[in-house]
Amino acid sequence: MTDSLTQALPARAAALAADFDRELAAVEASRSGDRVEELRVAFLGRKGKVTALLEDLRNCSKEERPAAGRAINELKQHVEARVSALKEKAQEWELGARLNAEPLDISLPVTASVPRGSLHPVTLIRRELLNEFRRLGFTVYDGPEIDYDFYNFSALNMPSDHPARDMQDTFYVREQEHLLLRTHTSNIQIHCMLNERPPLRIVAPGRVFRVDSDPTHTPMFHQIEAFVVDRGITFAHMKGVIDAFMKAVFGSSMKTRLRPSFFPFVEPGAELDLQCVHCQGKGCRLCKHTGWLEVGGCGMIHPNVFEAVEYDSEVYSGFAFGFGIDRMAMLKYKLDDLRQLFEGSHSFLGHFPLFT
Ligand code: FA5
């Protein structure tokens, strides 16, 4: 009994392989995932046909066992490989069946409202200012936000003991190395003049930093610096440029005024005020009841600055101005607190256009 069984094992394995292939073809034709699983259980399950053959191996004689074991193992590997390939196919059959059952119309419009971003008001006004400067023939220049005392102060006619340094409370990065966060974009004047030769027509926007915080002051804010250096440049040229671009940005009815003022790097120096848009010059909390908002300083470049960059002040003259971009955004978009610009509130920022 034992002998006939064991002798029959390789032949039974071959017959089972043929059975399996037949059933596999039928399952494949049915395209049913459930039938794939039934096939697996029937052949490889605990009470499956291949498992039963493996159990019969125990009754096999020592001599016959290697050949019988090899035949059953080959059968088992064949069945496992086919079943696993069919399982993968079954996933595709299911996906296909689902897609056919619920067809998708990808041309249908989206019903849910998708929140859209917008440009930050400072970005909007900076773009507008730069477009106007480009139209007037200026070139855009960039400079470092972390800079040495030399560019931010000393070369701008503010030696270390100069009282004007108190006007700008400074964030020092490494005080011993004279490294600081620039307090104004005027540092770009020095970088540019040391690298280029006149004639120059430069505009330089950027972030600046000061120890400052109230409704019209923030510790980080944006300035736009512009300067022109050539033979025969006068204060009248400066006034003309400032007028042209303020009118372009705020409209021809915007009133401006220049007040004499002091900045160590210009002589003569002035401050530019724009009429307060909140109260139309009548006086309110925002303009501290003066009717005007200061947006920046300007003047003729000081001969000591030219000396620091080795330009001959007998040959060249120039003007420079630096304006607060955030202050201009505040006026343009009628904001009553500068700090709103930097709070990151979506409901506030969502009011501004997506593109210009
Ligand atoms: C300057 O920074 C000079 N560098 C401007 C200048 C350039 C003068 C070239 C002459 C020639 P001032 O410290 O006044 O100047 O700053 C210029 C403008 O920056 C101010 O009028 C104001 O509009 C803006 N500003 C100053 N501090 C702040 C602040 N903390 N927050 C927001 N805006 C500020």
Side-chain angles (χ1 to χ4, degrees), residues 168 184 186 189 210 212 216-218 221 223 225 263 265-266 271 294-299 320-324 327 338:
Q168 294 163 336
H184 52 179
S186 300
Q189 286 187 37
R210 291 184 200 174
D212 229 350
T216 55
H217 295 84
T218 47
F221 58 103
Q223 286 189 339
E225 189 90 4
F263 297 93
F265 34 95
V266 287
E271 219 141 13
E294 168 208 314
V295 290
C298 57
F321 54 85
F323 296 152
R327 289 275 176 87
L338 201 61

Side-chain angles (χ1 to χ4, degrees), residues 125-145:
I125 198 145
R126 189 185 56 220
R127 285 188 179 183
E128 211 172 322
L129 293 171
L130 286 182
N131 282 344
E132 191 51 28
F133 274 111
R134 285 200 192 95
R135 206 183 60 76
L136 294 172
F138 281 69
T139 301
V140 182
Y141 211 88
D142 201 6
E145 289 176 4

Side-chain angles (χ1 to χ4, degrees), residues 248-262:
V249 176
F250 291 100
S252 51
S253 59
M254 168 52 88
K255 292 207 175 79
T256 60
R257 73 174 186 191
L258 283 174
R259 275 181 293 112
S261 187
F262 172 73

